[in-house]
Amino acid sequence: MDPDLLEEAIKDRIAKIGKKPKAIIPVALYGMPYQIDRILEIANRYGIPVIEDAAEGLGSRYNGQMLGTFGEYGVLSFNGNKMITTSGGGALICPDADKAREILWYATQARESYPYYQHEAIGYNYRMSNICAGIGRGQMTVINDHIAHHKHVQELYCELLKDVKGITMHRNPWSESDSNFWLCTATLDPMIRIKGQENAYKQVISGAVGGAAGVTHEVNTATTDCQPNANVEALRVALDVANIEARPLWKPMHKQPVYKNAPAYVNGVSEDLFAIGICLPAGPYVSDDDVHYITDTIKTNIL
Ligand SMILES: *Cc1c(COP(=O)(O)O)cnc(C)c1O
């Protein structure tokens, strides 16, 4: 979240509809900390609560402080692919015990204490099952190892790719930021040519790239009007052929067709990054040998 665009968005909403946003939700993309000091300053100035989406940022710090503990609330995810997992579900970091009780009440169907169901507010069925919570307690014993491992894998990518022209690993951009490197991301110079690039996007893909099992809609076009460059797609395919799962960066929200009518405050950075970015494998089972194999495969596919 660009703090300058955030303030522009708040001012524009007030000017256009006379209302400010109900909440500000910065997202720790790939685990990378947001500029929370500037975001909080703006949020406080306009009196808007901050809810941190630290789903990917468990263990990341800004100025030494854990993400998820800056805003009024902090959201963590324990989905299967996150830093630790309970198979599904997550946690909400609350400012105090009263707020936590209130949230739990909403998450537990918002029941009044009558012998029958009496609803004076809309409730939800959102709390974690005891079985999932038990898995989470087991995961707490490996959380520090996982965070350290992700940082180690990132360091190794940086070391092994440092002399490869046209590939740039994304690092901590400021002295304040300390990413958990949940995902290790790189950008590929548009001038770099990759083997098989002329065939990129020639074939319609069936099924999802990573996750989602077989639960996708079939599509009948190989391309959309906003997608990674051909060399990035060619590199993804070359890695896939070598049994390595890489993925594009997240597609910017304002380029998702479902949000095409929603207002967006942008400056082109997210679209530029989507065109040139790639996520490399970074999980707890990615060994040093794997990182060597991945970086060797990248090097042999650069023309
Ligand atoms: C995974 C993720 C979520 C959602 O978490 P679930 O537990 O899968 O619902 C939300 N925000 C970000 C940034 C995520 O990466």
Side-chain angles (χ1 to χ4, degrees), residues 66-110:
M66 285 284 180
L67 294 196
T69 65
F70 289 90
E72 179 148 355
Y73 294 97
V75 182
L76 302 174
S77 169
F78 305 141
N79 191 37
N81 61 343
K82 299 302 160 81
M83 191 56 87
I84 57 168
T85 183
T86 56
S87 83
L92 188 72
I93 300 169
C94 302
D96 55 53
D98 282 346
K99 285 274 167 52
R101 260 193 299 278
E102 185 191 9
I103 298 278
L104 261 178
W105 178 76
Y106 281 110
T108 313
Q109 301 163 329

Side-chain angles (χ1 to χ4, degrees), residues 223-227 251 255:
T223 59
T224 68
D225 64 358
C226 173
Q227 61 187 19
K251 185 164 186 164
K255 299 306 286 185

